[in-house]
Amino acid sequence: MRKILFVLLFTSFLEAKVYDGVAVVVKNEAITLEDIKKEMQTSHIDVKKATDVLIRQKLEAAEIEERKIVVSSSEVYDDIKQMASRNNMSISDFYNAVRESNGLSSTELKEKVKEKLLSQKLYSAIAYASIDEPSDEEIKEYYELHKESFSHPASFTVVIYDAKSKELLQEKVDNPMFYSPEIATNEQVLPFERISPELSSLLSRTPLHTFTPVVPNGKGGYMSFYIKSVASAKESGIDSVKNQIVNAIMADKREVVLNDYFARLRDNADINIIRMPE
């Protein structure tokens, strides 16, 4: 039976003392008011959605423990190595790039990757046995409904600014009229198909005639891309994106299965909502 207690005032419950700052208890695991506020700020969502996200995370953690799912340090390292390789960076340069862009230390990044891999293994255990590969008809229908998702710029014309000093390059990004002989420039046309998914995503998100954030260049220095022009988008044929379509359909099906599973799990879990942030 679903067990959710709404308590308006700071009080005691289940014969245990509730300490200041606790908002929700999921299977004896606390979610604090600070946890919820941080999730709201990080994900830009309201208090209800933030609470739901954190409750789901606690339920996932409990399932991972009950199923004895583990991720080794070598699996974490291999995943980070693959991400670095896709960005044409060494491991150390990739750590620096993540620290500069997201503020995560190498230890924090490893923990995030471990959490991601644990969730992937859990999702596989729950969902993969419950869903079938999409038929050709499903693939065609999905493609017709989402054609815009499979179009992309043909290429980006960029000016790459390079410098040893991050502060110097940031000055150029903040003030385009700034000049320093220590900042090198190199104009290039980057075909969409020949750059990494991470770089194409970064360039696609950057408005025309502006700079990307300053990131490590993999050579001990830093760089930023100035988006000079973008070649017109072109539509991909269904054959060239079939694997992407299959992955998208499977992801949708998997999400339905997972949402249903965790909804039922939540209905039967011991969840106590004490109070929400004001």
Side-chain angles (χ1 to χ4, degrees), residues 31-48:
I31 297 171
T32 67
L33 296 172
E34 190 60 33
D35 292 334
I36 295 174
K37 290 177 180 178
K38 184 176 180 180
E39 183 65 28
M40 291 170 66
Q41 294 169 355
T42 302
S43 302
H44 307 291
I45 53 180
D46 62 27
V47 62
K48 183 182 183 304

Side-chain angles (χ1 to χ4, degrees), residues 112-138:
K112 291 288 185 184
V113 171
K114 183 178 180 178
E115 289 173 3
K116 179 193 74 174
L117 295 177
L118 283 169
S119 291
Q120 288 177 350
K121 287 189 176 184
L122 173 62
Y123 294 167
S124 297
I126 294 170
Y128 282 148
S130 306
I131 54 180
D132 299 320
E133 287 280 333
S135 65
D136 289 340
E137 191 60 34
E138 283 182 279

Side-chain angles (χ1 to χ4, degrees), residues 18-201:
V18 180
Y19 293 92
D20 187 30
V22 174
V24 184
V25 177
V26 181
K27 290 189 171 184
N28 295 322
E29 292 289 330
I31 297 171
T32 67
L33 296 172
E34 190 60 33
D35 292 334
I36 295 174
K37 290 177 180 178
K38 184 176 180 180
E39 183 65 28
M40 291 170 66
Q41 294 169 355
T42 302
S43 302
H44 307 291
I45 53 180
D46 62 27
V47 62
K48 183 182 183 304
K49 289 182 179 178
T51 305
D52 287 343
V53 166
L54 294 173
I55 289 174
R56 166 90 172 242
Q57 288 175 357
K58 292 295 185 184
L59 292 174
E60 286 182 8
E63 279 289 290
I64 287 169
E65 184 175 355
E66 288 174 14
R67 291 170 181 260
K68 295 180 171 54
I69 296 172
V70 296
V71 167
S72 67
S73 57
S74 62
E75 288 176 292
V76 171
Y77 180 78
D78 287 343
D79 194 77
I80 293 174
K81 185 177 179 181
Q82 289 173 18
M83 288 190 286
S85 177
R86 288 198 300 270
N87 286 277
N88 298 314
M89 292 182 178
S90 66
I91 298 292
S92 60
D93 284 335
F94 183 71
Y95 283 145
N96 289 334
V98 171
R99 184 179 297 108
E100 295 294 339
S101 60
N102 297 319
L104 295 176
S105 67
S106 58
T107 300
E108 290 170 329
L109 174 62
K110 290 174 184 176
E111 188 58 35
K112 291 288 185 184
V113 171
K114 183 178 180 178
E115 289 173 3
K116 179 193 74 174
L117 295 177
L118 283 169
S119 291
Q120 288 177 350
K121 287 189 176 184
L122 173 62
Y123 294 167
S124 297
I126 294 170
Y128 282 148
S130 306
I131 54 180
D132 299 320
E133 287 280 333
S135 65
D136 289 340
E137 191 60 34
E138 283 182 279
I139 292 171
K140 183 179 179 180
E141 180 181 1
Y142 189 93
Y143 174 74
E144 294 297 330
L145 291 173
H146 302 85
K147 272 188 177 181
E148 69 284 352
S149 301
F150 301 106
S151 64
H152 57 74
S155 64
F156 302 91
T157 299
V158 301
V159 179
I160 305 173
Y161 288 81
D162 235 304
K164 289 291 185 183
S165 166
K166 179 187 175 184
E167 291 73 21
L168 196 65
L169 187 54
Q170 189 62 55
E171 177 70 18
K172 177 66 179 178
V173 170
D174 294 338
N175 179 14
M177 298 302 292
F178 174 77
Y179 170 76
S180 170
E182 296 180 41
I183 300 176
T185 62
N186 178 21
E187 183 170 330
Q188 289 190 28
V189 176
L190 304 177
F192 184 91
E193 291 87 354
R194 297 185 184 180
I195 59 179
S196 69
E198 289 80 7
L199 179 55
S200 63
S201 176

Side-chain angles (χ1 to χ4, degrees), residues 155-161 185-191 195 199 202-204 206-212 223-231:
S155 64
F156 302 91
T157 299
V158 301
V159 179
I160 305 173
Y161 288 81
T185 62
N186 178 21
E187 183 170 330
Q188 289 190 28
V189 176
L190 304 177
I195 59 179
L199 179 55
L202 174 64
L203 298 180
S204 296
T206 304
L208 195 62
H209 302 145
T210 63
F211 290 89
T212 66
M223 65 181 178
S224 175
F225 298 83
Y226 177 81
I227 311 298
K228 189 173 181 180
S229 65
V230 179

